[in-house]
Structure formats: structure tokens, C-alpha cells
């Protein structure tokens, strides 16, 4: 297990850190870049997305009604077999992207495809590649030098985090790889108000409550923000994101407690609960 812990007063980093896949913590970076565009007046949070019936907020919050490839049995079968990834247009056709699961704002369904649409918007608005935009507008200003997009099978295999090869093109909204230290640096700066204005950060952290059983994961009151997974209770206030891919999980969370602390954990496991519980355990040591 690899982890990093950071607060304003002290930090704990592993002796041997390495670049690992952030999986869906990538969505937090996407959301941050979108909110930066809103801050610059490019569009409004509640304006319609490119003439579609859903808004930027609804895409960020997974309330747009856009379907997801994770719903397709053929997707999981193809990934497991090591098949060549579908083209973006084929994937969108397979999920019938224009056929919404519910009217926007009238339901909730986690959608990687919604974040693919947002990633495309980032590339269009910033006028460059996703990786180039991340470096210039997010990572380098924070002194983050290791984090980058993982775009090829060779690049993923070089991480040496899985017994099987994996093609990151199956992760259509993009996959960032970085150290756990990179993750806590980014998330702590974000939650400390160093990246977004206070009003937009408050929008990002506004909970949309999720009414379903999370099993043995440590969240008592799970909710979703804008590119964030949230939990607000008397004993546990967190903002961050968990991600899972082939044979590994990643979790990065900011704990709003007496001594605010940010924790990132990576492990080669199929259990999201494992990395989340470790993050909670590490955060408690900073109280």
C-alpha cells in the first residue's frame, strides 16, 4: 500500500513513492478545470451544455441523464479480454448518448461519459491537449511535476501496478497518473481555497445526497458534489474521490476536522472500501 498525508502543519510521505493511476480522481481535476473556465466567464454553471438539455452542473453532478459505458456487459467483456478499445464514436453509439436515462435534474446515475463530454470541452476552450492544459493551468502552478495523463498501453504497463496489461483508452474521460504526494498537494490546495474562488469552491462542495447503501465503505451520509464524493456527518466530513480500475484502487480525500488533513491511498486491490478505510484511519492520526 502506498499513501501520503498532508496538513498545514506536517506531512507524511512514503519512503518509496511512485506514479500510480488516479482512476476516477481524474474527475476532480476535470471538474476543477471546468470551474476555472466558469470563473473566467466562459459560461455559467447552470447554462446548457452546447445546446443539450442538460447543464454543466448536471454533467459535473451526474444528474444529466447521460448513460455510461459501464452499463454495458460488452464493455466489461472487451476490457477483460484485452480487445482493441472502441472508437469514441462507436462507444457513444453503443450507449445511445442522445437517449437520456431520465430528464436532466430528475435522477442520478454515475456517468464517465458525462466527464468525457467535459474533457472535450476543456480541450476546446483551453485550445490544447488535456495533458497540456493540466500541466499549464493546474499542476505546474502548484509545483506538481510527476502527474500526467496515461494515454497508451505501454505507458500504463510502465507503471507496473497490474499483473495484466491494460489499455487506458478504455477510460474515455482520460486517466491521470501521479504520486500520492501529487494527489494530496493538488487536493489540499483546492480545498484550502488556493485554486478556486470561495463561491465556486462552495458550489463544488454542495452535496447532492445519495440514498443508497454503500456497503462496508466508511461513509455514513454519502453525497456527490461537482467532481467530488462527499460525506457530511458529526464525525466525518470529507471531500475527494475514489477510483477503481483493473486490479487497483485509489482514494484521495480532504478531511475537514480540527486539523484539516488530506490523504491519498493506492493499493492493488478490488476493494474501494479498503483504500477509503485506510484514508480515514490515517486522517485520525492527525487529530
Amino acid at each position: 500500500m502506498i499513501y501520503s498525508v498532508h496538513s498545514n502543519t506536517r506531512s507524511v510521505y512514503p519512503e518509496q513513492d511512485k506514479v500510480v493511476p488516479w482512476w476516477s480522481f481524474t474527475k476532480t481535476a476535470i471538474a476543477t478545470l471546468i470551474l476555472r473556465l466558469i470563473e473566467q466567464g466562459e459560461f455559467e454553471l447552470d447554462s446548457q451544455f452546447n445546446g443539450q438539455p442538460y447543464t454543466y452542473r448536471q454533467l459535473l453532478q451526474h444528474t444529466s441523464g447521460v448513460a455510461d459505458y459501464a452499463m454495458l456487459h460488452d464493455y466489461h467483456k472487451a476490457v477483460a479480454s484485452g480487445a482493441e478499445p472502441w472508437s469514441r464514436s462507436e462507444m457513444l453509439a453503443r450507449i445511445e448518448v442522445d437517449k437520456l436515462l431520465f430528464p436532466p435534474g430528475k435522477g442520478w446515475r454515475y456517468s464517465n461519459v458525462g466527464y468525457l463530454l467535459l474533457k472535450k470541452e476543456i480541450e476546446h476552450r483551453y485550445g490544447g491537449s488535456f495533458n497540456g492544459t493540466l500541466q499549464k493551468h493546474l499542476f505546474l502552478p502548484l509545483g506538481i511535476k510527476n502527474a500526467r495523463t496515461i494515454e497508451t498501453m505501454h505507458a500504463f504497463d510502465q507503471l507496473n501496478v497490474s499483473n495484466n496489461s491494460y489499455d487506458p483508452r478504455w477510460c474515455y474521460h482520460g486517466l491521470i497518473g501521479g504520486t500520492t504526494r501529487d494527489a494530496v498537494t493538488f487536493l489540499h490546495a483546492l480545498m484550502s481555497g488556493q485554486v478556486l474562488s470561495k463561491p465556486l469552491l462552495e458550489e463544488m462542495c454542495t452535496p447532492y445526497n445519495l440514498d443508497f447503501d454503500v456497503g462496508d465503505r466508511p461513509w455514513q451520509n454519502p453525497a456527490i458534489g461537482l467532481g467530488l464524493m462527499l460525506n457530511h456527518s458529526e464525525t466525518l466530513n470529507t471531500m475527494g474521490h475514489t477510483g477503481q480500475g483493473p486490479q487497483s484502487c485509489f482514494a484521495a480525500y480532504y478531511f475537514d476536522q480540527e486539523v484539516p488533513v488530506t490523504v491519498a491511498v493506492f493499493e492493488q486491490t478490488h476493494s474501494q472500501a479498503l483504500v477509503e478505510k485506510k484514508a480515514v484511519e490515517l486522517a485520525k492520526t492527525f487529530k
Side-chain angles (χ1 to χ4, degrees):
M1 183 174 287
I2 299 172
Y3 62 84
S4 290
V5 188
H6 175 73
S7 76
N8 291 337
T9 57
R10 65 189 177 103
S11 300
V12 176
Y13 302 123
E15 292 182 6
Q16 183 181 3
D17 209 348
K18 61 180 290 186
V19 173
V20 297
W22 288 2
W23 299 120
S24 280
F25 184 54
T26 299
K27 293 182 176 70
T28 304
I30 291 173
T32 302
L33 289 172
I34 288 290
L35 292 171
R36 289 282 292 271
L37 288 170
I38 291 170
E39 203 162 51
Q40 295 163 19
E42 291 286 328
F43 44 81
E44 295 181 358
L45 186 57
D46 292 308
S47 60
Q48 287 185 305
F49 179 83
N50 293 335
Q52 297 295 327
Y54 41 80
T55 66
Y56 287 89
R57 183 194 299 274
Q58 289 164 345
L59 284 174
L60 289 164
Q61 197 180 54
H62 303 288
T63 56
S64 65
V66 173
D68 188 49
Y69 50 81
M71 301 166 60
L72 302 178
H73 172 74
D74 286 349
Y75 170 82
H76 297 284
K77 183 179 178 181
V79 173
S81 68
E84 179 77 7
W86 306 328
S87 68
R88 181 182 294 177
S89 59
E90 180 182 356
M91 181 275 292
L92 294 175
R94 282 175 179 258
I95 69 164
E96 299 180 284
V97 68
D98 293 324
K99 187 177 180 180
L100 300 182
L101 300 175
F102 47 79
K106 301 299 183 181
W108 187 85
R109 179 62 167 83
Y110 191 86
S111 178
N112 293 290
V113 175
Y115 274 76
L116 163 63
L117 299 177
L118 292 167
K119 172 177 171 283
K120 289 171 62 179
E121 187 75 355
I122 286 168
E123 292 171 332
H124 169 69
R125 296 275 183 166
Y126 283 99
S129 69
F130 181 45
N131 183 64
T133 301
L134 283 167
Q135 302 304 328
K136 181 178 179 180
H137 296 280
L138 198 56
F139 292 152
L140 292 181
L142 295 174
I144 295 171
K145 299 179 180 179
N146 297 302
R148 59 188 182 272
T149 55
I150 307 300
E151 300 177 357
T152 66
M153 185 181 296
H154 175 72
F156 183 86
D157 291 346
Q158 289 295 107
L159 301 181
N160 194 29
V161 296
S162 174
N163 295 327
N164 300 318
S165 188
Y166 172 74
D167 194 325
R169 290 179 296 167
W170 282 116
C171 191
Y172 288 92
H173 61 72
L175 173 61
I176 296 173
T179 66
T180 55
R181 180 171 182 167
D182 292 334
V184 297
T185 299
F186 160 50
L187 186 58
H188 199 83
L190 175 63
M191 292 295 107
S192 300
Q194 301 174 42
V195 180
L196 295 174
S197 65
K198 184 177 179 179
L200 273 180
L201 183 58
E202 289 177 351
E203 292 280 10
M204 192 179 197
C205 296
T206 298
Y208 178 94
N209 294 320
L210 302 176
D211 186 20
F212 56 77
D213 185 6
V214 297
D216 64 343
R217 297 167 75 171
W219 319 125
Q220 300 101 351
N221 296 300
I224 203 82
L226 307 181
L228 294 172
M229 293 178 174
L230 310 172
N231 185 84
H232 293 303
S233 67
E234 291 185 4
T235 58
L236 195 62
N237 290 320
T238 63
M239 307 88 172
H241 217 293
T242 304
Q244 181 174 6
Q247 298 185 337
S248 65
C249 291
F250 184 91
Y253 285 90
Y254 176 85
F255 293 80
D256 188 7
Q257 53 190 34
E258 184 176 353
V259 178
V261 60
T262 304
V263 184
V265 181
F266 173 84
E267 178 63 295
Q268 290 179 255
T269 178
H270 295 290
S271 172
Q272 295 184 64
L274 180 69
V275 290
E276 291 171 344
K277 288 179 179 178
K278 182 64 175 179
V280 172
E281 174 190 325
L282 289 166
K284 288 180 179 178
T285 67
F286 273 61
K287 286 188 175 182

